[in-house]
Amino acid sequence: MLQLKLNTVPDTRAALAPYNFVPLPDRVVEAELPLPDHDRYYSSEGEKPRYTGRIACTLTTASPLYVRCGLTLNQFQAGLDAKDLSDFFFLHERSMPVIPGSSLRGMLRSLVEIVGYGKMERVTDVPRFFYRAVAAQREDPLANPYRSQLRNVKAGVLKRRGDQWYVRPSQLINGEPFIKVRESDIPLTLDLVRLNDKDYHLQVLPISFTVKRLNPNPRSPQGRTVVDRIDSQGVHTQAGWLVTSGNMLETGTGLSPRKNHVVISESGRTEIPLSAAAVADYRNGLSDFQIDQLGPSGVLEDGRPVFYCEPLGSTKEITYFGHSPNFRVPYRFPGSLHAATPRDFVPEALRDEAVIDLAEAIFGFVRQQKQQDQATQARAGRVFVHDAILKSGQADIWYSEQPITPAILASPKPTTFQHYLVQPAANLSTLRHYADTPGQQTQARGHKLYWHKGADPQILLNEEQKVTSDTQKTQIRPVKAGVAFSFDIRFDNLSKVELGALLWVLEKAADPQYQLKLGMGKPLGLGSIQIESNVWVSNRQNRYTTLFDTDCWAMGEEPFAEKGACLGEFHRYVILRSGEPVQYQQIDETLRIRCLLALLRWEGPPPEQTRYLEIERDARKGTIRAAEIRGGKANEYKNRPVLPSPLQVVGEMIAPTAEQ
């Protein structure tokens, strides 16, 4: 197992994060087949009993909890965004919060997938992964691959005919495909928004220009061609384009470190086709910044200047291109014809649609692709989770009387490969990334879960984030810790193994050592919950023979006396089929489930050990030792520290010292 090759990460190379991963299994534990039909109740007696019944649950919040209410039709039609609404989910009254059964069901299913050694099938094949490593240090594992791919960058203009894209190469400028021009040498008569202007954006301006050659010097023995004069079209003898790139101030303030823009000449009529796969990769890999600056298609616009790598070898198509000379290039592992995706790094055996795992057998499934066997195409679930209703008699349930603005959370960044991929070694120069061979050199870390942060986590917007654009902020009104809800889980025709999987999760949910996670704001510490439960099984014969004996329907429910037997069957079934050492008596002893239990442990590690790394962190606050400090600020991502295992974070696997 790749995830076992790195037991510890040295303190000097250990990263921090509010999340961690449960390792992928060696193999999927398949469900007991055949699955029962849905048109009858099966007997709870005999060699292969099946149980139907109800689990009565009481959910108590251990930290503030928030589940957002959706938009009404009128709100949607009025153009409102869900983030503009602070209401907790409710059915009839805003003052009566409700936890949707769908949220509870999703939480339970995710945990059953983990403990049942299920598939990791629902992994996206977008976005495609791209990277830039212009200023990467020599030891960075991306530095050499990036520079080697961008040694032969040319410029041209895009041309579209039907669904096919072409590049018409620009005419050379004294033998160069493009040249740089200092912004300070560009006259004000050219309508250019300057690098340090508050309204700066990516620009492509038609220009005319002349060039000159500087005298030779040790750095440029042949001399260097530079722009002599530049202005709008028709003023000078040569025609072309002025192309700008980002000013590197998207995430900060001050003056741009950039001083130059790029000039290219008008194109000829020769055409080189763009690879269809490269175009698809480019569209799927567009960043939010590129979409905001260039539009939903990025640089793909007929007649627009573009930079590209000249095709090498026998290929006749362009596979690398972008809007500036230092454009992003796709990760491509050996043998792949497309940019790497998250799905590529999950072993095929763990996402085989023909296999039915325990979670699918219990909760149901629908296949994305057409299956030859109809039995594996779709299946209804046999577990039904009701909404959790606020228990009566509780006053003062809200975290605050008025909505609050929580700290800003960005979307996940799987391009931080040192966190999301298995790292057999922690050295910077040998880190594995998305251009390495999946399954041989690395793979996905596993199931992502968030650490608990105690009963009173710091969730409010901090002073530094208050100056951030309002488009990144939201309003929420969570309930506070200690609020109780009740709900039922109904189940039909579950085997001992299947019911045991569900009961294992609920047993941990009731244990004071652990808490589950639910709702929004998990990275901030919201959503820690405990669930107490009682299991009742339905005696169908007793129910229907006494159905009208009283003034209400007879339920025929009896306390379930075989919980221990179901748990034992579940443990034996999984260990026998998972490839785990047979000497284990319970799945709790395996490394995979130990990692899960570490992540569920209450109250969680100290918050300072489970925060996000920062690009600019005040050095006085304390940082990981791997951070580079300049001017009192530390870029904690600089040296790509590696995320330790959950067990190392909680102290069960101690990182060696730097001396060791």
Side-chain angles (χ1 to χ4, degrees):
M1 291 175 71
L2 281 168
Q3 61 265 28
L4 303 186
K5 290 184 178 178
L6 180 62
N7 291 323
T8 57
V9 177
D11 287 343
T12 53
R13 294 285 299 142
L16 308 174
Y19 55 82
N20 214 296
F21 297 87
V22 178
L24 294 176
D26 271 348
R27 67 180 73 153
V28 172
V29 171
E30 297 189 30
E32 302 167 291
L33 298 177
L35 298 179
D37 294 325
H38 289 287
D39 60 355
R40 73 199 70 179
Y41 289 106
Y42 289 74
S43 172
S44 59
E45 307 294 335
E47 292 184 6
K48 295 183 178 181
R50 291 192 175 275
Y51 302 97
T52 295
R54 176 176 65 94
I55 306 175
C57 301
T58 297
L59 181 154
T60 305
T61 58
S63 71
L65 170 71
Y66 181 69
V67 180
R68 193 186 297 281
C69 193
L71 295 171
T72 65
L73 178 60
N74 290 336
Q75 290 169 334
F76 177 78
Q77 292 175 336
L80 290 179
D81 192 316
K83 74 179 185 62
D84 299 323
L85 304 178
S86 61
D87 288 333
F88 198 105
F89 185 88
F90 68 94
L91 295 177
H92 305 293
E93 299 179 29
R94 283 184 169 83
S95 60
M96 298 291 289
V98 172
I99 303 173
S102 57
S103 297
L104 294 163
R105 188 178 189 276
M107 173 193 68
L108 293 170
R109 176 170 184 151
S110 295
L111 291 169
V112 170
E113 284 179 349
I114 294 174
V115 302
Y117 283 61
K119 295 185 295 183
M120 201 173 188
E121 183 183 1
R122 294 183 297 279
V123 181
T124 181
D125 60 357
V126 291
R128 309 294 170 89
F129 288 140
F130 285 67
Y131 68 98
R132 294 179 77 239
V134 179
Q137 53 190 308
R138 183 177 302 174
E139 296 82 9
D140 192 293
L142 299 183
N144 286 335
Y146 185 77
R147 290 164 187 157
S148 64
Q149 290 181 81
L150 291 189
R151 283 177 180 167
N152 196 26
V153 176
K154 307 293 185 181
V157 176
L158 283 169
K159 181 67 178 177
R160 180 179 184 177
R161 287 199 298 277
D163 293 331
Q164 180 63 58
W165 289 90
Y166 300 87
V167 173
R168 290 183 172 179
S170 295
Q171 298 173 9
L172 298 180
I173 307 172
N174 281 2
E176 300 292 335
F178 55 85
I179 57 176
K180 294 181 179 179
V181 58
R182 284 186 174 273
E183 186 176 88
S184 57
D185 293 336
I186 299 174
L188 297 178
T189 53
L190 193 61
D191 190 19
L192 174 71
V193 181
R194 308 277 161 156
L195 285 162
N196 293 311
D197 192 296
K198 63 181 179 62
D199 296 321
Y200 180 79
H201 56 277
L202 300 183
Q203 300 153 85
V204 175
L205 302 177
I207 59 166
S208 62
F209 62 98
T210 62
V211 297
K212 62 183 179 182
R213 187 177 290 275
L214 298 179
N215 293 328
N217 59 60
R219 295 185 60 184
S220 181
Q222 305 299 320
R224 184 164 57 91
T225 298
V226 298
V227 170
D228 184 19
R229 292 175 294 170
I230 183 172
D231 215 311
S232 55
Q233 281 182 312
V235 177
H236 302 296
T237 55
Q238 292 183 255
W241 305 85
L242 177 71
V243 182
T244 74
S245 56
N247 62 1
M248 300 177 68
L249 293 179
E250 295 93 340
T251 57
T253 58
L255 298 178
S256 171
R258 289 203 164 129
K259 308 296 180 186
N260 302 319
H261 301 296
V262 176
V263 168
I264 70 172
S265 185
E266 59 186 350
S267 66
R269 303 194 64 83
T270 303
E271 293 182 346
I272 308 174
L274 284 181
S275 160
V279 171
D281 286 344
Y282 177 80
R283 290 184 185 275
N284 290 325
L286 284 169
S287 66
D288 292 341
F289 174 74
Q290 288 175 311
I291 293 173
D292 177 66
Q293 294 284 308
L294 301 172
S297 295
V299 77
L300 291 169
E301 179 183 333
D302 193 46
R304 186 186 182 96
V306 68
F307 297 86
Y308 65 96
C309 289
E310 196 170 44
L312 299 176
S314 60
T315 179
K316 303 298 183 182
E317 295 181 319
I318 293 170
T319 55
Y320 301 123
F321 65 94
H323 72 274
S324 70
N326 292 314
F327 54 83
R328 302 188 311 157
V329 299
Y331 288 97
R332 285 200 181 119
F333 51 84
S336 175
L337 299 178
H338 63 78
T341 72
R343 188 175 179 83
D344 291 325
F345 287 84
V346 176
E348 290 186 18
L350 302 186
R351 47 183 172 88
D352 184 352
E353 286 195 333
V355 172
I356 300 174
D357 63 27
L358 282 171
E360 291 177 327
I362 296 169
F363 292 93
F365 61 88
V366 176
R367 298 293 184 234
Q368 298 298 314
Q369 305 295 327
K370 183 70 175 177
Q371 302 294 305
Q372 292 182 349
D373 184 356
Q374 188 60 31
T376 62
Q377 186 65 52
R379 190 82 180 187
R382 289 173 285 136
V383 168
F384 315 92
V385 185
H386 294 216
D387 294 339
I389 307 301
L390 183 71
K391 298 192 76 169
S392 61
Q394 298 180 92
D396 188 25
I397 64 170
W398 300 105
Y399 180 79
S400 64
E401 287 301 317
Q402 299 299 320
I404 62 170
T405 302
I408 295 170
L409 294 174
S411 58
K413 298 294 187 294
T415 46
T416 308
F417 55 81
Q418 62 270 26
H419 290 196
Y420 283 81
L421 292 181
V422 170
Q423 299 299 335
N427 299 328
L428 175 61
S429 60
T430 59
L431 292 180
R432 296 303 185 186
H433 49 74
Y434 295 107
D436 288 315
T437 305
Q440 297 180 22
Q441 296 173 303
T442 188
Q443 67 182 28
R445 281 284 295 265
H447 302 264
K448 183 180 180 181
L449 298 177
Y450 289 91
W451 294 104
H452 297 297
K453 295 193 174 184
D456 188 24
Q458 299 299 310
I459 63 178
L460 296 178
L461 193 74
N462 59 42
E463 291 298 322
E464 294 177 359
Q465 290 183 331
K466 286 182 179 179
V467 299
T468 307
S469 168
D470 287 341
T471 59
Q472 294 182 268
K473 299 174 185 175
T474 188
Q475 294 276 300
I476 65 173
R477 195 183 183 205
V479 298
K480 65 182 183 181
V483 178
F485 297 79
S486 61
F487 68 99
D488 282 349
I489 302 171
R490 297 190 178 274
F491 56 92
D492 289 344
N493 294 326
L494 294 188
S495 69
K496 282 188 175 182
V497 171
E498 293 166 342
L499 186 53
L502 191 59
L503 294 178
W504 187 96
V505 173
L506 292 173
E507 182 181 67
K508 301 307 178 188
D511 190 331
Q513 294 184 81
Y514 307 108
Q515 303 284 340
L516 308 188
K517 276 277 195 178
L518 181 68
M520 295 177 59
K522 297 181 185 71
L524 301 177
L526 274 72
S528 300
I529 61 166
Q530 188 173 46
I531 300 176
E532 300 281 348
S533 60
N534 291 299
V535 185
W536 304 82
V537 289
S538 176
N539 184 321
R540 313 303 297 178
Q541 182 176 0
N542 180 52
R543 181 184 185 189
Y544 292 120
T545 56
T546 61
L547 189 61
F548 304 109
D549 285 1
T550 63
D551 58 357
C552 60
W553 292 104
M555 300 303 294
E557 291 183 337
E558 303 170 350
F560 188 49
E562 298 186 58
K563 179 179 178 180
C566 288
L567 286 169
E569 284 290 318
F570 168 65
H571 285 290
R572 286 189 290 273
Y573 186 88
V574 172
I575 290 173
L576 183 62
R577 291 162 176 79
S578 64
E580 296 284 7
V582 294
Q583 64 266 28
Y584 289 148
Q585 299 300 307
Q586 295 187 337
I587 61 170
D588 303 43
E589 302 172 57
T590 68
L591 179 69
R592 174 175 165 84
I593 304 306
R594 286 173 60 205
C595 287
L596 170 63
L597 294 177
L599 281 157
L600 298 182
R601 190 175 301 177
W602 183 252
E603 295 179 331
E608 181 59 21
Q609 295 181 19
T610 56
R611 61 172 176 81
Y612 282 108
L613 297 177
E614 297 178 19
I615 294 176
E616 289 190 357
R617 182 172 175 81
D618 189 334
R620 293 171 297 179
K621 294 181 181 178
T623 64
I624 56 173
R625 282 178 279 176
E628 179 177 308
I629 300 175
R630 289 181 179 175
K633 296 289 184 179
N635 180 351
E636 296 183 308
Y637 287 98
K638 180 72 175 179
N639 292 314
R640 300 190 187 277
V642 175
L643 190 66
S645 74
L647 294 176
Q648 182 175 332
V649 174
V650 299
E652 293 186 15
M653 299 172 70
I654 307 300
T657 64
E659 291 77 15
Q660 289 175 317

